[in-house]
Structures are given as structure tokens and as C-alpha cells.
Amino acid sequence: MGERYGIVYFKGSICKLQSGKNIRGNTLERNLELEGFFANVEKRAFRLAEISTGNRDDALDILQDAMCKLVDKYAARNPEEWGPLFHTILQRMIVDWYRRHAVRERFRGWFGSNHKDDESEDPMQNVKDVYGKTPEQEVQSDRRIAIIDRVIRGLPLRQQQVFLLRALEGFDVKQTARIMKCSEGSVKTHYSRAVHVLREKLGDGCL
Amino acid sequence: MTIQDKDKQFVDLIKSELNESVQNINARDLSAITQARHRSLDRYTGRKSRWPLVPAGAVVTACLVVVYSLMQVTPVPTDGVNLVQEFQGLVSTSEIFNFYEDPEISEELDFYEWLDAYESSS
């Protein structure tokens, strides 16, 4: 009887040890998967948030919040689902940012102070690293990007989101509709209008 | 060239510009992005490593609750003599009640009284 209990207990210990190892192993594996996923999407996501908000710090905050939310809520999900989920979170955060920003702007309007945040930025902080480009090319490229950013930012939010998800992230109509929780028809409409406005404002010769 | 083709060409140009801007993110922003990634991953590892402590914490809390509830219960008298006396008292009282309440005995009480008187006189 004692032996039997001993064996049962012994087997139980082994099981516990094995499952503990598995949990640690799974956590490490999942951590690596998450790191790989973030490393793959983070730059584009940052640019997307930066174009939408026009503010580097806000874009970084949005990016980090989106990453944390994905980790908190969806880390256990299948890694294939992370892409659409992450972009859904990111888009929601950008919409929230717009709402907060609109309220802030309204308050500023009431109190009569219309200073823009980017005026206080140190221009030397945004100097880009130059690899294999002449300063003239770099300036031209920067200028083009700045113009494109500004024109995209001027689009209505939904058009902006659809255009960036399709052009920058490379999602198709179906995926974009899923991320934005709207119909494929409205994605097509927003995209077509966005392209029309961009062509109108940038012109074919600008690029 | 159709409008669709022109649109596609235009969008491709914008795409290439945007892709280039992603490649040219400055070192300061890249570092901030990497930090953001690490912070979010630290949350994941931190949260996972805290989980094994939860069952232990639950067991300790349950033990404390049991101990506390045991301390709140009114102590039962453990004096053996007192218990026996109380029991005997209960028994005798019940006997008295039973005696007077037995209808057969109470009906023949007059007979026993007569018998006592008869025996004492004789």
C-alpha cells in the first residue's frame, strides 16, 4: 500500500515537473514568437501612427499601447491571428487619439491658445541617418515624404485608415474590412475616394 | 492608359515612397520602437512568471481563513465532571416528568395509598 502511494506520488511529481517545464517552454516559445511578430510589424505600424497623428511621441505611445494590449489580451491566440488583431487595436487607438485631440483642440479654441506641439520640437532630433544618398537627394526625399504624410493626414480618418492599411501594410480589401469592422464595399469606396483626393492634391508629376 | 492603370501607377509610387520612409526611420525612433517592444514583452514574461504564485497564495489565504474561523467559534466546556452532573440532572428530571405523566400509574395511585395505609394498620 505504502509503495503504491509512493509510486502514485512519485508519478504525480514527475507529471508536475514535466508540465512545469512545458509551461516555461511554452512561455519562452510564445515570447519569441511575439518578439518576431513585433519586429516584423513595428516599423510600419509606427509610420502608420506617425502619419495619422503627425506626432512622433504620440505615435510611439500608440504603438506601445497597441503592443501591450495585444500581449495582455491576445498572446494566447494563434500567431496567424495577431496581424489583423494588432492592426484592429492600432486603428482603434488612432481613432481614440483623434477624439482626444479633437476635444483638446476645442478647449484650446475656447481658451484662445493655438500653439502647435511640433513648433517646440528640436529639429536636430529628427535628423535622419544618411546611407548612400547625397544631401540633396536626402532633402528631396524627406520633402516628398513630408508632403505625402501631410496630404494623407488631411484625408478624412476612415479614408486615411483604409489607404494606409492597403498601401502601407499591404492588406487586401477583405482583411482591411475585417480590421476596420466595416463592409468590403465601404473599404472600396473609401480607398477609391482617398486615391482620387491624393491624385488631385499631389498630382502625377509631384512624385 | 486607363484611369485604373493611372491610379495603380500612382498608388505604386506612393507605396514605394512610404516603404522607403519605413526603411529610413532614424536611429532615435528605431531605438524607441525597440524599447516599446521590449516593454510590452516584459509585461508578458512578468505576467506569466507571477502565475505559479497564485495557487500558493490561494492555499495560504484559505489556511488563514480556516484558522480565523476556528478562533471565532465559542469554546465548548471540556470539564468532564460538569458534563456528567448536567447529564444526570437531565435524566432525573426526565424521570420525574415521566413518572407523573404515566397515566397508568396516576390512575392506580389511590390503590397504592390504600395499600400503604392497610399495611401500616395491619
Side-chain angles (χ1 to χ4, degrees):
Chain A
M1 199 68 167
E3 277 178 21
R4 204 173 151 194
Y5 277 126
I7 289 163
V8 170
Y9 182 69
F10 179 68
K11 278 183 182 171
S13 314
I14 290 288
C15 289
K16 275 182 186 173
L17 277 172
Q18 279 175 348
S19 60
K21 264 184 191 174
N22 284 342
I23 288 165
R24 274 193 296 276
N26 288 342
T27 308
L28 188 66
E29 198 180 318
R30 195 34 66 111
N31 200 25
L32 287 171
E33 281 173 338
L34 277 167
E35 182 155 24
F37 169 75
F38 286 144
N40 207 24
V41 297
E42 63 194 7
K43 287 183 203 163
R44 285 174 184 281
F46 167 72
R47 276 291 292 143
L48 196 148
E50 193 185 33
I51 292 169
S52 297
T53 60
N55 185 304
R56 171 201 176 265
D57 294 329
D58 287 347
L60 281 170
D61 285 346
I62 287 172
L63 178 69
Q64 180 166 334
D65 289 350
M67 284 173 164
C68 288
K69 194 145 194 178
L70 185 89
V71 164
D72 286 347
K73 303 258 178 189
Y74 305 107
R77 292 279 190 98
N78 189 344
E80 284 171 12
E81 292 178 58
W82 286 343
L85 283 168
F86 178 70
H87 280 98
T88 306
I89 296 166
L90 193 73
Q91 293 304 325
R92 275 190 200 158
M93 287 187 165
I94 289 170
V95 171
D96 285 346
W97 182 90
Y98 263 79
R99 285 192 189 125
R100 282 200 307 271
H101 192 70
V103 172
R104 211 181 304 148
E105 284 300 309
R106 203 172 297 159
F107 272 106
R108 277 182 184 170
W110 287 343
F111 293 108
S113 62
N114 271 322
H115 299 298
K116 291 197 171 177
D117 290 339
D118 26 342
E119 278 176 7
S120 59
E121 268 188 6
D122 179 10
M124 286 305 287
Q125 287 183 339
N126 288 329
V127 172
K128 299 206 170 181
D129 302 328
V130 183
Y131 293 109
K133 274 187 177 178
T134 63
E136 289 81 15
Q137 282 174 329
E138 189 65 26
V139 167
Q140 267 191 344
S141 170
D142 278 2
R143 198 175 292 163
R144 276 203 308 272
I145 293 290
I147 291 168
I148 291 170
D149 281 12
R150 204 173 54 236
V151 174
I152 294 174
R153 203 176 305 133
L155 291 171
L157 184 58
R158 298 296 275 175
Q159 287 181 24
Q160 191 189 115
Q161 287 179 305
V162 166
F163 183 79
L164 286 173
L165 283 170
R166 295 214 55 205
L168 183 63
E169 297 291 344
F171 288 115
D172 61 21
V173 175
K174 198 176 175 182
Q175 288 168 323
T176 309
R178 198 177 145 204
I179 289 167
M180 292 185 63
K181 313 253 182 235
C182 62
S183 69
E184 290 180 25
S186 63
V187 167
K188 283 178 191 168
T189 309
H190 286 314
Y191 185 72
S192 160
R193 284 180 187 163
V195 171
H196 181 74
V197 171
L198 289 174
R199 269 191 78 179
E200 214 175 67
K201 291 199 172 172
L202 289 170
D204 292 331
C206 176
L207 301 171
Chain B
M1 193 182 271
T2 61
I3 295 172
Q4 274 90 11
D5 290 338
K6 276 189 179 177
D7 277 355
K8 196 179 174 299
Q9 200 179 12
F10 174 76
V11 170
D12 285 343
L13 278 170
I14 292 189
K15 271 184 193 175
S16 70
E17 288 290 340
L18 290 174
N19 286 333
E20 201 182 319
S21 76
V22 170
Q23 298 305 316
N24 292 337
I25 293 174
N26 64 41
R28 177 171 166 253
D29 290 347
L30 280 178
S31 159
I33 292 167
T34 310
Q35 280 173 21
R37 186 208 314 157
H38 288 156
R39 256 177 253 139
S40 60
L41 290 170
D42 284 348
R43 280 165 71 102
Y44 180 69
T45 6
R47 195 186 58 179
K48 280 284 173 186
S49 62
R50 276 198 300 275
W51 275 110
L53 297 176
V54 172
V59 168
V60 169
T61 313
C63 289
L64 286 173
V65 167
V66 169
V67 168
Y68 180 75
S69 57
L70 284 174
M71 284 168 72
Q72 294 300 311
V73 173
T74 317
V76 181
T78 51
D79 190 354
V81 179
N82 286 343
L83 275 173
V84 169
Q85 281 173 352
E86 273 183 28
F87 183 71
Q88 281 175 343
L90 279 172
V91 168
S92 58
T93 313
S94 66
E95 273 177 354
I96 290 164
F97 278 120
N98 287 338
F99 177 77
Y100 285 112
E101 281 177 5
D102 190 349
E104 207 172 305
I105 291 172
S106 56
E107 276 173 13
E108 293 176 355
L109 199 61
D110 293 340
F111 169 74
Y112 288 112
E113 280 173 357
W114 172 82
L115 189 67
D116 282 343
Y118 176 75
E119 281 175 356
S120 58
S121 66
S122 63

